[in-house]
Amino acid sequence: MARPLDRAACIDDLRVMARQRIPRFAFDLVDGGAESERNMRRNVEAFEDIELTPRYMVDVSQIDTRATLFGQTYNAPFGMAPIGMLNAFWPGADLILARLCKRENIPYVASSAASTTLEALAEAADGNGMFQLYVSGDDSVTEGLISRAEAAGYTTMFITADVPAAGKRDRDIRNQLAVPFRFTPEVIAQCAMHPRWALTSLRCGTPNVANYADLLQSATSYAKVQKTLITPGFTWDDLRKLRNRWKGKLLVKGILHPEDAKRCAELGCDGIVVSNHGGRQVAFGPSTVAVLPGIAEAVSGKMTVIVDSGIRRGADLLRARALGADFALAGRALAFGVGAGGAAGAARAMDILKLELVRALGQLGVPAMADVGPEHLVTAVSRNRP
Ligand SMILES: Cc1cc2nc3c(=O)[nH]c(=O)nc-3n(C[C@H](O)[C@H](O)[C@H](O)COP(=O)(O)O)c2cc1C
């Protein structure tokens, strides 16, 4: 008999399995988006709507999915996006994903809001780790994190720019989400209905934002935790200083406007992530698919362009590249895998994306990922581009 995970045909199937295994308040923490969640849905739909035109009678018996980022060659053109507090979704999720990324040779981006320390994640990702920084309003907190990231051996840092104000996530408000969890009668009832999650969580201990453990000893509410991660006063001047401070590769994550992308390039950043935080920040914002071509055109050749928000299918990686991205990040896609079945579920999510990617390249008639380009967009074909 097929194991349940083998029956998951796509990432969305893993999401459904995760929803069954995880109490609602913890599932919603990852599955939810800002306000009406229109932006979150738009992300996925916008990728689905991008049409690529297959070419046939091309030898696709050998498919090469590799992609290069900052001189390092990875087995697939995507990495794991930084996700804070993921151990609340499934205990041990951070380390499961960092190890998976190492094994599969794809990048793992450790969130500064992770529930595992950046040092432990650097060790688990073993050379495939990159660090994501939330700039704090307190310079000494920011400096502390940067020094620790350097000491842990990270050579690539993402600065997240798209949280000048906290995203309003209606599901979390309805669930009265608090970090550490508050064991209200409703939370206890939800845990009782998901005993496996509850017992594993008990064994692993209450998750928290591990990198800020000292700072947050007295903080009990999610709002207080969030406050240290949100910097309304973060400006281009601060970015300039951080560019001078960080000697490794520096990327800005959360860019949605071509002029902002150009400014990052002018300041000497090595790349950007075209991202809307997976639709968790602004419900009124554009999908990344809508803005990616304009941004890529503005900075192409000057810096690396990565895209995220809405990647659910292997074919989305082709679409991302056709629209001008050099590389992609997947957030919920791999997270849902962990939620569906721990380490085995994460591996299943990875397999699904890889198999879909190989199949899509074969069907497009392009044996190597590196050869996908704007000429494959149906819009280019209808304009008769070669
Ligand atoms: C639960 C959750 C937590 C996140 N935490 C962070 C974070 O700590 N830092 C960050 O830069 N982005 C964070 N993100 C955004 C992701 O890095 C990424 O941009 C997003 O998940 C991509 O969209 P996708 O989930 O549709 O793939 C988070 C996303 C989710 C779903």
Side-chain angles (χ1 to χ4, degrees):
M1 205 178 81
R3 289 183 310 133
L5 283 172
D6 297 336
R7 286 171 174 254
C10 59
I11 295 298
D12 210 43
D13 288 353
L14 292 171
R15 174 184 173 275
V16 171
M17 289 179 182
R19 193 174 58 196
Q20 285 158 359
R21 278 163 47 103
I22 299 174
R24 200 184 64 223
F25 69 92
F27 178 75
D28 283 349
L29 175 68
V30 167
D31 192 54
E35 297 188 341
S36 65
E37 303 189 341
R38 186 68 194 92
N39 189 229
M40 186 173 78
R41 288 192 299 277
R42 198 158 33 226
N43 283 336
V44 177
E45 289 162 9
F47 267 108
E48 273 177 345
D49 282 347
I50 297 297
E51 299 168 62
L52 306 176
T53 307
R55 303 291 299 272
Y56 296 115
M57 288 159 283
V58 176
D59 182 1
V60 289
S61 45
Q62 299 291 328
I63 297 281
D64 180 359
T65 60
R66 287 174 305 172
T68 302
L69 187 61
F70 302 128
Q72 192 165 335
T73 301
Y74 296 99
N75 288 1
F78 73 101
M80 176 66 208
I83 292 201
M85 283 298 292
L86 195 57
N87 288 4
F89 185 64
W90 190 261
D94 290 337
L95 285 173
I96 287 173
L97 287 170
R99 288 181 188 130
L100 176 81
C101 289
K102 173 64 188 174
R103 204 169 61 239
E104 296 287 341
N105 187 30
I106 62 166
Y108 172 83
V109 187
S111 164
S112 56
S115 23
T116 308
T117 63
L118 62 92
E119 290 83 2
L121 290 172
E123 202 184 319
D126 185 18
N128 281 29
M130 300 177 177
F131 179 62
Q132 175 267 325
L133 175 76
Y134 276 124
V135 177
S136 168
D138 179 343
D139 287 350
S140 68
V141 172
T142 305
E143 176 51 36
L145 286 169
I146 294 177
S147 308
R148 282 173 60 190
E150 275 175 342
Y154 291 100
T155 55
T156 301
M157 183 166 81
F158 294 70
I159 291 179
T160 296
D162 60 4
V163 192
K168 177 171 175 276
R169 296 194 271 275
D170 292 358
R171 290 202 222 181
D172 292 349
I173 296 170
R174 282 186 209 112
N175 291 333
Q176 295 278 286
L177 187 77
V179 176
F181 298 142
R182 263 180 303 170
F183 287 93
T184 59
E186 200 179 325
V187 165
I188 292 168
Q190 286 181 26
C191 289
M193 283 157 63
H194 300 88
R196 187 150 173 201
W197 180 94
L199 289 173
T200 319
S201 294
L202 265 179
R203 211 177 49 239
C204 294
T206 314
N208 213 333
V209 273
N211 291 320
Y212 302 85
D214 300 346
L215 192 75
L216 296 173
Q217 257 163 10
S218 58
T220 48
S221 77
Y222 194 48
K224 279 189 202 163
V225 173
Q226 275 196 326
K227 253 193 182 159
T228 69
L229 307 174
I230 294 156
T231 331
F234 178 56
T235 65
W236 292 102
D237 272 348
D238 301 309
L239 180 62
R240 183 178 292 112
K241 286 180 205 144
L242 289 165
R243 172 63 286 189
N244 292 334
R245 167 68 185 84
W246 178 259
K247 300 299 167 223
K249 299 291 181 198
L250 186 76
L251 298 97
V252 180
K253 177 171 179 285
I255 294 295
L256 293 170
H257 198 292
E259 292 303 320
D260 288 351
K262 279 197 220 161
R263 215 156 161 189
C264 289
E266 282 157 20
L267 283 181
C269 296
D270 301 284
I272 47 164
V273 186
V274 178
S275 170
N276 58 30
H277 220 105
R280 291 168 64 78
Q281 286 305 110
V282 277
F284 57 79
S287 69
T288 49
V289 161
V291 294
L292 174 58
I295 293 176
E297 203 181 310
V299 295
S300 99
K302 298 194 187 103
M303 67 193 328
T304 297
V305 177
I306 300 178
V307 69
D308 77 12
S309 302
I311 304 271
R312 297 290 182 276
R313 294 274 181 185
D316 294 340
L317 301 165
L318 275 57
R319 292 166 163 134
R321 197 169 165 88
L323 293 169
D326 300 302
F327 211 82
L329 297 176
R332 294 184 185 86
L334 292 176
F336 287 146
V338 186
R348 179 72 189 139
M350 186 69 207
D351 281 349
I352 287 172
L353 290 175
K354 274 194 313 192
L355 290 170
E356 286 180 349
L357 174 62
V358 168
R359 190 185 295 246
L361 281 168
Q363 287 173 330
L364 190 65
V366 183
M369 185 66 209
D371 293 332
V372 176
E375 66 275 18
H376 295 106
L377 293 170
V378 72
T379 44
V381 176
S382 64
R383 283 201 308 270
N384 245 340
R385 269 171 77 158

